[in-house]
Every structure is written in structure tokens, then in C-alpha cells.
Amino acid sequence: MVGDPESGIGARSAAAKLNEALTSLRNLAGVAEGERYFRYYGWARDSAFKLDGVITRTEIDRLIFTPAYYALLSSGSPDWGPTAGTVEMVMRRAETELRATIESLQSTSQRWTAPGRLIVADTNVYLHGPGLGEFSAKTLIGEDVPARLLVPMIVIDELDALKNRGEKDRRQAARQALKMIEQALDESPAMSGELTVRPGRSRLAIEVVPDPPGRLRLPVADDEIVDRAAYFERLAGRKVVISTLDTGMTMRCRNLRIESRTPEVTAKTSV
């Protein structure tokens, strides 16, 4: 589970702060059971205060102020048997979530802080932009630099839908784009790999970024793509550039102060 740092924090710094909270939680293991009930709530209060401004409020609720936290809070005295017996279980669950989030943030930081650019390509770029064998930072954003192409899951879903409807050329382009992405990932559990680029061009890594469990997408696909790009910026702690052929997408980027570029090949139509 990848966390959600506040703007400008980045995955590495967020992981370090979360690790401090995890260490404090583990230190409660040696506390007497009756006292542990109160110390756990003290830990939750202090951790939420320290993490405010580091991760989003939604993440604080997911990791600290969980349903189990409120269930314990409403159960009354720590001397009541069921409550005393569940404190350790709640702490273990919190420890598991914190550890998984830290590991995910650290892994993401290692991949996304490498030199080069972070790029998100709008769905129409896969259909009408550079040829599938021509994808590179040069053709997508006009810079011949190493880059990582981040593919939000909404783009995969749009391509999946388009491969079975509309004009023949569009269906074929969607199928070819999906095939290109699948071949680049090569069954990687991290859903990342590297695209084959023209000799002499800088390398282009690719990564499909799944939606977090339970995420509710925005109703308009372009809004969702821009929203995910903004999330990637928070996670990476640096700028992401969107490659798009649509004026509407460009305006959305401008509204959220996300950089956008037009790929080398001009579209005839758009999604």
C-alpha cells in the first residue's frame, strides 16, 4: 500500500516519519497490559500530530485513527476483559499497515528518484501520438533524457474499452498499446519494466500504477488522469509532466499547475 505524502514531502521523507511512528508503537510492547491501553491512545494522538503535514488526513485516518481505534475508544474501561484482550491485536494490525506502507514508499522512492523525467501520457497519445516503436522522452515531451513513463490504471482501462469499440484504426491502436505495455512489464510483480526505444535515444522505463484499494475514481477520465499525476508528484516530491494532444487536458493541467507537453506527432482525432 503506497502512502500519500503531502505536497513537497516525497516518499522518502514520509517513510522516515512513518518509521518513527512505527518504532514508537513497537516500544509499547513492553508496557504492562493495563497501561498499554492508555499508552496506545497517547501514541495515536502524538503520531497523528507529528504526521500532520507529512501525509494526508486520509492517510492518517487509514494508519492511525482506524475503525479499530474508535472501537476501542468507545468500549469503555481497559479493565473490561474484551477490551484488554484486543489492544495488542489492534496494535499489531497498526504495525502491519505502517510497515507495509513504509516498505512501499521506500520502494517507490528508489524507482522514482532516479535521474530523468517522470511522464504521464494521456490515453490519446497511445492512440494518435508517436508510433508505438517511437515512444521516448524525446517524442513524448521533446527532451532526450532518461525518463519513467507512469501509466495510471485509468489509462489501461480506457485502452481496454477502446480495443473493442469505435473505428478499426482506433481499436487496433488500443490493442497494440496494451501489447506494448504488457511486453515491457514482462510479468514483473512491481508492474514496471523498460520500453524498447530507437537506438541513440535515452532509456524509457515504464510502470503501471494501480489504484489504491477502495479508491473512488473521478467521473471524468481526464480529471482522473490529472488527479493521479498530482498524486505522483506528491509521492515523488518532484514534477511530473503530462504528454497530451487535447486542449481540455492542457487546461486541466494548467489549473492544477502541472506541466504539460504536446508529443511530436499531431493527432487527427482525440479520445
Side-chain angles (χ1 to χ4, degrees):
M1 170 65 74
V2 178
D4 192 356
E6 289 283 14
S7 180
I9 297 298
R12 182 178 300 174
S13 297
K17 289 295 184 181
L18 286 171
N19 196 53
E20 292 176 7
L22 177 60
T23 300
S24 298
L25 179 63
R26 286 172 171 168
N27 289 340
L28 300 183
V31 175
E33 189 175 78
E35 184 183 353
R36 198 179 303 165
Y37 176 88
F38 298 105
R39 293 285 296 276
Y40 165 70
Y41 283 110
W43 168 84
R45 181 191 63 246
D46 294 344
S47 296
F49 178 79
K50 292 176 181 178
L51 291 171
D52 187 33
V54 176
I55 58 176
T56 62
R57 291 296 307 178
T58 299
E59 281 294 275
I60 290 175
D61 288 342
R62 182 179 71 84
L63 295 170
I64 309 295
F65 296 137
T66 63
Y69 165 88
Y70 287 110
L72 278 179
L73 188 64
S74 64
S75 63
S77 168
D79 297 325
W80 183 52
T83 300
T86 56
V87 172
E88 184 174 354
M89 180 187 69
V90 172
M91 289 171 54
R92 286 181 179 177
R93 185 178 299 174
E95 180 179 337
T96 299
E97 287 293 329
L98 281 166
R99 186 172 59 249
T101 302
I102 291 167
E103 290 173 355
S104 185
L105 285 168
Q106 290 172 336
S107 176
T108 300
S109 175
Q110 289 176 355
R111 298 192 308 273
W112 292 12
T113 56
R117 292 285 245 156
L118 296 177
I119 303 171
V120 171
D122 190 5
T123 307
N124 60 32
V125 174
Y126 292 92
L127 302 176
H128 310 292
L132 295 179
E134 298 292 329
F135 265 48
S136 67
K138 176 66 174 176
T139 58
L140 291 173
I141 63 172
E143 299 178 21
D144 191 11
V145 295
R148 178 171 289 269
L149 179 63
L150 303 176
V151 187
M153 202 65 202
I154 180 65
V155 171
I156 299 295
D157 291 341
E158 282 202 296
L159 290 172
D160 260 331
L162 289 166
K163 72 182 182 183
N164 295 316
R165 72 166 191 254
E167 299 174 357
K168 180 180 178 180
D169 289 348
R170 182 176 294 191
R171 296 198 308 270
Q172 185 176 4
R175 292 192 185 100
Q176 290 177 340
L178 291 168
K179 183 178 180 180
M180 175 192 72
I181 293 169
E182 286 182 311
Q183 289 177 340
L185 299 183
D186 194 25
E187 299 183 0
S188 165
M191 291 204 288
S192 62
E194 190 158 332
L195 289 172
T196 301
V197 299
R198 183 193 298 178
R201 290 277 170 86
S202 299
R203 63 182 293 271
L204 181 65
I206 184 171
E207 180 174 344
V208 174
V209 187
D211 294 341
R215 171 179 168 78
L216 296 177
R217 287 180 177 173
L218 298 175
V220 178
D222 282 359
D223 289 335
E224 174 69 10
I225 292 171
V226 174
D227 185 71
R228 295 305 286 160
Y231 165 70
F232 299 159
E233 283 196 345
R234 295 196 301 272
L235 203 57
R238 62 192 180 106
K239 286 292 185 180
V240 170
V241 57
I242 292 183
S243 177
T244 183
L245 293 157
D246 278 355
T247 302
M249 176 67 81
T250 301
M251 295 298 104
R252 286 174 169 87
C253 291
R254 186 176 299 176
N255 183 53
L256 292 181
R257 297 184 180 180
I258 294 175
E259 185 179 359
S260 65
R261 300 281 183 86
T262 301
E264 285 187 358
V265 177
T266 303
K268 296 178 182 179
T269 58
S270 62
V271 176

